[in-house]
Amino acid sequence: FNLALCHNALGDTSRVLASLIRSFAYDAPRPEICAEIGYYHKQTRDFKKALQWFGLATKLADTESMGFVLWDYRGYIPNIECCVCCVELGEYENAHEYNECAAEFKPDSPAIEFNRKVLAKKLAE
């Protein structure tokens, strides 16, 4: 996870995905890893692939881990990113559902309220 973040910070995007996928050799997929793979695909504007990885992260949210846990990756981040991907794909109903799932984790998030306003307009069209 951290190695992938370092590669990304250095602009060495060719190694980001390989670093993340390598983690699967050591342990079961974790939400943090799946979400970062989602970010990788989001950066390349492949929102369909990004949605699949963020969506997987939402399903792994209740996994137990012996390592450090980044709690936002276990609910808020993958759901809010699924919302963003769905908007990019024109799937506004799904975006709304993911946004409301994210709200369960951080109901006072400014991003949640912003998305509600944007999605209300899109769904009314």
Side-chain angles (χ1 to χ4, degrees):
F1 178 80
N2 289 327
L3 180 60
L5 295 180
C6 290
H7 285 310
N8 196 44
L10 293 171
D12 190 0
T13 56
S14 64
R15 292 186 177 184
V16 171
L17 189 59
S19 298
L20 293 167
I21 291 173
R22 190 174 336 144
S23 74
F24 299 148
Y26 303 107
D27 199 2
R30 292 178 50 145
E32 297 90 336
I33 298 296
C34 293
E36 286 301 320
I37 294 173
Y39 280 125
Y40 173 85
H41 290 295
K42 185 178 169 194
Q43 286 177 339
T44 64
R45 302 199 53 80
D46 190 342
F47 295 105
K48 191 171 183 177
K49 281 185 186 174
L51 179 59
Q52 291 172 331
W53 285 100
F54 288 125
L56 179 58
T58 68
K59 292 172 179 60
L60 299 174
D62 292 331
T63 58
E64 294 184 22
S65 173
M66 295 292 289
F68 293 106
V69 174
L70 301 172
W71 290 107
D72 280 350
Y73 282 94
R74 297 182 180 252
Y76 177 75
I77 288 174
N79 279 291
I80 203 79
E81 291 298 343
C82 281
C83 173
V84 171
C85 290
C86 285
V87 168
E88 291 290 338
L89 294 168
E91 300 174 6
Y92 304 119
E93 287 286 339
N94 289 338
H96 173 74
E97 289 177 29
Y98 280 117
N99 193 59
E100 294 309 308
C101 286
E104 292 176 20
F105 296 93
K106 287 194 173 187
D108 297 331
S109 167
I112 299 293
E113 196 55 41
F114 175 82
N115 289 345
R116 283 180 177 149
K117 289 176 184 174
V118 169
L119 290 168
K121 290 178 186 175
K122 293 289 187 184
L123 291 169
E125 293 177 356

